[in-house]
Amino acid sequence: MTEPGAYTAALNWYRAAPWSGRVGTVAVPALTIWSEGDRYIHRNAVRRSERYVAHDFRFEALPGSHWIPDEQPEATARLLVDWFGKWA
């Protein structure tokens, strides 16, 4: 985030996200890894995202903050390997 343009690029990802009224469903398996201490994304919002997945949906909650891959790298990796292994 210290590189020139990195902060703007990160914010642009959120600006382009479908929260701007473009809502539809995805037809692929979806894994959501959420953190119990996330101050920016509420648990109910994550749980409601399941209704937009027309395939298998898995929700996992880990202890930590918004930066769960940095705080729980081993647990995050285990969940991802398990999930990808199921669909590979």
Side-chain angles (χ1 to χ4, degrees):
M1 297 303 285
T2 60
E3 296 295 320
Y7 190 72
T8 299
L11 288 177
N12 284 343
W13 186 89
Y14 287 100
R15 291 177 182 133
W19 305 303
S20 61
R22 297 172 298 175
V23 177
T25 59
V26 295
V28 296
L31 166 67
T32 298
I33 303 172
W34 177 78
S35 173
E36 295 167 348
D38 197 319
R39 295 171 47 193
Y40 306 101
I41 302 173
H42 194 271
R43 180 185 195 102
N44 289 339
V46 176
R47 294 299 303 175
R48 283 192 309 266
S49 68
E50 182 175 3
R51 70 177 79 160
Y52 301 105
V53 179
H55 206 294
D56 285 5
F57 180 87
R58 180 173 167 189
F59 172 79
E60 294 288 341
L62 297 175
S65 75
H66 184 71
W67 311 106
I68 199 66
D70 292 328
E71 296 173 0
Q72 297 282 343
E74 294 85 10
T76 301
R78 278 193 304 275
L79 288 168
L80 290 170
V81 167
D82 178 60
W83 183 253
F84 293 139
K86 180 178 179 180
W87 301 106

